[in-house]
Amino acid sequence: MKFRRLRLTGAAVSALAVAWTGAATSASATPTTPTAPSAPPVPALAWSDCQGGFECANAQVPLDYREPQGRTLTLAVIRKKATDPSKRKGTLFLQPGGPGNSGVDFVRNNYDDLPTALREDFDVFGYDVRGVGRSSQVVCWDDPTYTRAVTAAKGVPGPDAYEPAVRQAADFDQACQDNAGDLLPYVGTQYVARDIDLLRQALGEKQLTYYGRSFGSYIGTVYAAMFPKRVRALALDGAYDPEHYTNRPYAYDRPQYLALDGAMGRFLDWCKANPTTCGFGDGDPRGAFEKLKADLDANPVPTANGGQANGYTLVYRLMFNINEGKVIWPSFGEALRKAQLRDNTSFLLRPPSPASFDFLNPNVVVECVDKKYPSDPALLKREVTTNARLAPLLGPAMAYGPPTYDHQHATACVQWKGEHTSRYAGTFRAKGSAPILVIGNTGDPDTPYQDAVALSRELDNGRLLTFEAEGHTAFNRSVCATDRITDYLVNLKVPSRGARCTDETQPPSSEPTVAPPGTTLKELREGVNERVDRIGSLR
């Protein structure tokens, strides 16, 4: 096989096998009644101890659901049983963001910070989705290739940056076909939702209880759309507009560019209004930021591991760390000031590493399978150059950089030669489902608030909870939102219409000795480490 670590079992499926539509014909002239495809077998989970009170197992699921009895793919799964068996209500699926983050790590890293009621009432469950982590990780560019690409990228790309960006994206696409081509058609979200339904059955659950953040909210949306009657409770935090995401991706990308730049702009405005606490900019933080990007491009800073950090490094780190919200703003000021001084201990001068690349490879691939961009190259150029122009703080570096994250995938996805076998195109109404809770932050830099509003309206039985705050997602960053999400998951109590939470943590006025709600001291001082997906901490 061409893709790494893909564990497949079963004989090759005959070319005469029954098709997905169930259409089958007899060898004789006698008409036959079309038959439905046989259901895929429910995985048998053989649990074993994997330290810390967790149990781990492997689940065999179909590689291609059009051939449910054919080759299989192995998914890594993890759980921790309910701490109070007398209260146990079932299994809570936790789905991280991405695409590209490990669900196994998400459960292991966040379990202790979950509200007590969730740990008492549910077995907490997670898994690595197909193409991610321990479930046949997709690798297009290897680590040295990705390192060269991000090292050569610029924080302030020149006027001729568009064509090289398109060529680089084509090189990435070809590497995907060369290194993982046999897996690529099958990593889309329709198949992920089908995997979840098999795992639900394997766990003995009649209905699904689920918390999904960021891209995990889109996975939950697709599950509800495909299996509405099997929904017990779905909390979708940092929600996607599903119609824009999959069918009108340019309309999805533009708001994300604007949301990210808007969040960066609000931070710089805070710096101007709070120069002592921020410590960056000397009265003109926007001008200082633009100069810093250009200076780092012209003279990269050597890093401790022998690499180098430039203006692109700065933008890349800001893009992810800004998701932490206002609590990290004073640390941004200090890290930017260190960058001005060419101090490579600044967490904003930490170049992307192999841990980042493990996330970025499937992040691009899954979105290129899920999304259907128009193939018009002239439209691509207009959209990309307009995004860069409308989001001047962080947009140009992303628009013209190598394939990395979310809103800058157009150059790769327009040229994508792979099949879209496993994408889901709608409808997203989830007609007949139980109430579904949608959560959105008004200042979210990653999944814009209007996406949560759109999803709550798209769903036949959606209910919106608004968190008036900067940062990405609300669970365990707001006591108000966390209590309402927990009450919904445990007791199926839906917040009232128009419900809003206003308990945003404000920027510390000095370096704190106790972590503010929703973060850790380590994050405040060192930034977010790579793409570890954390739900925050209120404990």
Side-chain angles (χ1 to χ4, degrees), residues 14 25 41 59 80 103 126 151 173-174 189 238 247 253 259 372 399 413 421 469 478 483 490 496-497 508 528:
S14 165
T25 57
K80 197 166 190 177
T151 300
D173 287 357
Q174 187 59 54
T189 301
N247 294 322
D253 293 346
K372 289 286 280 188
C413 295
T421 304
S478 157
D483 287 348
V490 173
S496 60
R497 294 192 183 278
V528 178

Side-chain angles (χ1 to χ4, degrees), residues 366-388:
V366 170
E367 295 210 347
C368 285
V369 174
D370 273 351
K371 296 179 175 183
K372 289 286 280 188
Y373 281 89
S375 59
D376 182 359
L379 178 60
L380 172 66
K381 185 172 184 178
R382 287 198 302 272
E383 291 290 333
V384 169
T385 55
T386 301
N387 289 339

Side-chain angles (χ1 to χ4, degrees), residues 110 113 213 320-332 347 472-479 482 505-508 510-529 534-539:
N110 291 288
D113 289 320
R213 73 190 304 266
F320 291 124
N321 279 275
I322 205 166
N323 285 343
E324 299 302 289
K326 287 183 179 180
V327 292
I328 204 170
W329 282 4
S331 298
F332 272 0
F347 65 78
H472 185 42
T473 70
F475 186 66
N476 261 24
R477 300 185 188 283
S478 157
V479 173
T482 302
T505 302
Q506 297 302 307
S510 60
E511 183 172 344
T513 57
V514 177
T519 190
T520 67
L521 286 176
K522 185 174 181 358
E523 286 179 342
L524 290 182
R525 294 166 180 167
E526 301 176 20
V528 178
N529 184 21
R534 233 181 42 78
I535 60 173
S537 176
L538 293 175
R539 290 159 61 84

Side-chain angles (χ1 to χ4, degrees), residues 221-245:
T221 298
V222 173
Y223 182 89
M226 294 178 65
F227 308 105
K229 298 293 188 181
R230 298 173 193 170
V231 170
R232 176 186 173 272
L234 261 66
L236 309 179
D237 191 2
Y240 280 40
D241 178 334
E243 181 63 31
H244 280 185
Y245 169 77

Side-chain angles (χ1 to χ4, degrees), residues 184 417 471:
L184 301 182
K417 298 297 194 297

